[in-house]
Amino acid sequence: MEAQSETRLFKIKRLVKDRFRTVSSQFRNSQEYNLKTFRRQPLQEISGSFGDLGTLLPILIAYTADHQYRGSAIDLSSTLVFTGIFNIINGLIFGIPLPVQPMKAIAAVALSDYFNKEEVASAGLFVAAVVGFLSVTGLLEWFNRRIPVPVVKGIQVGVGLSLITYGGGVFIKPEQFQYEYPALASLLRIFTVIGLLGTTTFQKVPYALILLVLGILFAIPNLIDHSTAPSVWQPHVSLPSTHDFQRGIDAGLGQIPLTVLNSIIAVCALSADLLPDRPTPSTSAIGFSVAAMNLLSCWFGSMPVCHGSGGLAAQYRFGARSGASIIFLGLIKFLLGLFLGRFTKQVFRGIPNSVLGIMVIAAGIELANVGESLNTIGAKDLAKAEDHLNISSQGQDRTEQGHNLTIAQRRRRWTTMLVTVGGILAFKNDAVGFLAGMLWHWSYLLHDRYISWRSQSEGTIRLGDDSAPRL
């Protein structure tokens, strides 16, 4: 017994050491890649770091609006400090431009029902607990393995088109200065559109950085009208009551499918699509990250956050290729939240809608574009099939050994993706789109089983028929 216990203990120690070596090696690899990429293209990394501000700022501004009954729904300084820290940690660990974005379903409920800080915190804590449980138990990995690629692609395309629609709405909103300077507002919109079109040719131009500088320039009058002195962050703990958790759970229930599908599964798939040369984070790792961020920060009035595929697409679209971009963004957020929280609030509120809207539109275009690889070896399932064929048929040309789909198979995959997209756009809900896509996928599987059963039944009848010719 003692010998068996020692052997078991030795195996555990060896397993821990091997795991530590693997994690250490991956961490060093991420830092080398971050540094190498930032040295090669510093402006593109800095520009890409601001790529997701179009989706972040409108929600952040709405959250910080003072309501006559409950004040602001979050603490802006706490949000900037904690999200800055999370940006830095994610950039160091994963080595990709993984965004830190608001939980949009919670934001929608919190803003419409006038949640206070404690109610918003309880919603974030509830979602974090559920996602953490799914990660610890391995249910996220199990779930991810069983979702067909056309449905995942449909979620990505659907969210991308939703972002384009939302960005268009923000883009056409009247500017604060539109009635006083209508020509200037029109010129600004024209400039942002021409600039976005120009990025298809001049991809190394730091477009998002230019937009940010332009937005800050337009925000200067707002700073003059609302002059604020620098203030050091003073953290305050928000302890939700039982009543707060009751309202928070109601808001969090709608966020769970959105977080699992778009912030975890779709993010991992998009990372593999956009950055195939980098290690793709596992769904469990992303789930742990989402859970940890909210369990640590929501107590201090910070906004509930997650990782969004739209934010990753936006940062990639504007030049980010490594974790260095979000490390840079994290440092900026951290310093602003630590020393200039009130000042930053006025800057955010003064950035023109056309600047924010065009950034969201660009993110949506980049995200929806990944649907193009559905029926190519760029798709995860077809890439695996291609690798299997290459291994089993070494020495033959790769193009000849490609995983060729029939016209019917291509149509099935394309239709399943479109049904998923349609569900998201029609009902404005990722969960409905996911369910629609899965039902459509299962209907194909049911059809195949029926045809197989019918063929076997007909074959049995023919074999048992005395009038059938004997072989």
Side-chain angles (χ1 to χ4, degrees):
M1 289 292 293
E2 292 182 2
Q4 290 180 351
S5 299
E6 291 179 359
T7 302
R8 191 180 296 110
L9 184 60
F10 174 77
K11 288 182 178 179
I12 293 174
K13 288 182 178 179
R14 185 174 180 180
L15 182 64
V16 172
K17 286 182 179 180
D18 290 342
R19 181 60 180 167
F20 179 77
R21 288 173 184 169
T22 301
V23 172
S24 299
S25 176
Q26 292 175 348
F27 184 79
R28 287 195 300 270
N29 178 267
S30 293
Q31 306 330 304
E32 291 173 359
Y33 176 74
N34 288 341
L35 187 59
K36 179 181 177 181
T37 306
F38 192 80
R39 284 177 174 174
R40 187 178 71 249
Q41 50 170 43
L43 282 180
Q44 286 87 345
E45 290 293 305
I46 293 174
S47 176
S49 69
F50 300 115
D52 72 331
L53 293 185
T55 54
L56 170 67
L57 293 188
I59 295 177
L60 199 59
I61 292 169
Y63 259 137
T64 56
D66 292 323
H67 189 267
Q68 57 179 335
Y69 297 115
R70 53 104 174 121
S72 61
I74 63 168
D75 185 276
L76 179 61
S77 295
S78 294
T79 298
L80 291 173
V81 168
F82 280 106
T83 57
I85 293 173
F86 299 148
N87 276 132
I88 295 170
I89 293 174
N90 285 317
L92 291 172
I93 293 176
F94 297 109
I96 61 173
L98 190 65
V100 177
Q101 292 189 302
M103 290 187 175
K104 298 178 180 63
I106 289 179
V109 176
L111 295 174
S112 62
D113 292 350
Y114 304 110
F115 274 28
N116 57 31
K117 289 185 178 70
E118 289 75 21
E119 290 166 339
V120 172
S122 64
L125 292 169
F126 169 70
V127 174
V130 173
V131 172
F133 172 78
L134 295 175
S135 302
V136 169
T137 57
L139 288 174
L140 273 179
E141 293 287 352
W142 177 88
F143 191 58
N144 184 41
R145 288 193 299 268
R146 280 156 180 78
I147 300 178
V149 168
V151 175
V152 176
K153 293 282 186 184
I155 293 171
Q156 293 172 322
V157 175
V159 173
L161 295 178
S162 298
L163 285 175
I164 293 172
T165 303
Y166 171 76
V170 174
F171 184 80
I172 62 175
K173 277 185 178 180
E175 305 289 0
Q176 297 178 16
F177 54 86
Q178 182 163 335
Y179 298 105
E180 190 173 356
Y181 304 103
L184 182 59
S186 299
L187 286 174
L188 180 60
R189 290 193 178 96
I190 293 172
F191 173 80
T192 56
V193 171
I194 293 176
L196 178 60
L197 296 175
T199 58
T200 58
T201 302
F202 305 101
Q203 297 182 0
K204 292 187 176 181
V205 174
Y207 181 58
L209 184 59
I210 294 173
L211 285 179
L212 180 64
V213 172
L214 186 64
I216 292 174
L217 290 176
F218 275 91
I220 290 177
N222 196 52
L223 291 175
I224 296 174
D225 296 337
H226 304 83
S227 57
T228 54
S231 57
V232 178
W233 175 51
Q234 296 177 348
H236 298 281
V237 177
S238 299
L239 294 176
S241 64
T242 304
H243 175 71
D244 294 331
F245 268 108
Q246 288 176 348
R247 298 196 72 191
I249 290 173
D250 289 340
L253 286 173
Q255 179 65 48
I256 291 172
L258 182 62
T259 296
V260 172
L261 296 172
N262 181 48
S263 302
I264 299 176
I265 293 174
V267 161
C268 294
L270 184 64
S271 173
D273 287 335
L274 298 181
L275 301 163
D277 296 331
R278 295 296 303 152
T280 302
S282 67
T283 52
S284 292
I286 298 297
F288 278 125
S289 176
V290 171
M293 288 191 299
N294 291 283
L295 290 175
L296 291 172
S297 65
C298 286
W299 304 103
F300 297 91
S302 179
M303 173 180 66
V305 292
C306 58
H307 305 299
S309 57
L312 176 56
Q315 291 173 331
Y316 181 90
R317 179 68 177 78
F318 290 115
R321 297 295 183 271
S322 74
S325 61
I326 58 171
I327 292 173
F328 176 83
L329 176 64
L331 289 171
I332 298 296
K333 283 183 179 178
F334 179 77
L335 293 174
L336 288 176
L338 200 60
F339 301 110
L340 298 170
R342 295 177 183 174
F343 175 85
T344 305
K345 184 176 181 178
Q346 299 306 326
V347 173
F348 287 169
R349 289 180 175 178
I351 294 178
N353 292 320
S354 53
V355 171
L356 298 175
I358 204 70
M359 294 176 79
V360 178
I361 291 171
I365 292 171
E366 190 66 39
L367 182 55
N369 193 45
V370 302
E372 177 269 338
S373 63
L374 174 66
N375 290 325
T376 70
I377 59 171
K380 180 175 63 175
D381 54 345
L382 301 186
K384 289 180 179 178
E386 177 78 1
D387 291 339
H388 176 73
L389 287 170
N390 287 336
I391 292 172
S392 60
S393 307
Q394 292 183 0
Q396 299 188 33
D397 185 19
R398 176 180 172 88
T399 57
E400 294 178 357
Q401 291 297 322
H403 188 77
N404 296 319
L405 296 172
T406 65
I407 294 177
Q409 288 172 328
R410 291 175 182 272
R411 185 180 295 115
R412 281 187 175 192
R413 291 168 65 88
W414 183 258
T415 305
T416 301
M417 184 181 77
L418 287 182
V419 169
T420 307
V421 172
I424 292 174
L425 296 181
F427 296 93
K428 298 181 179 180
N429 190 303
D430 289 8
V432 174
F434 166 75
L435 181 60
M438 290 301 299
L439 290 173
W440 200 267
H441 172 74
W442 288 331
S443 71
Y444 283 135
L445 296 182
L446 186 63
H447 169 78
D448 291 342
R449 291 197 174 189
Y450 171 73
I451 295 298
S452 176
W453 171 81
R454 185 175 177 181
S455 299
Q456 290 176 1
S457 299
E458 291 177 353
T460 303
I461 294 172
R462 282 196 292 268
L463 287 173
D465 188 356
D466 292 337
S467 63
R470 304 215 178 250
L471 298 177

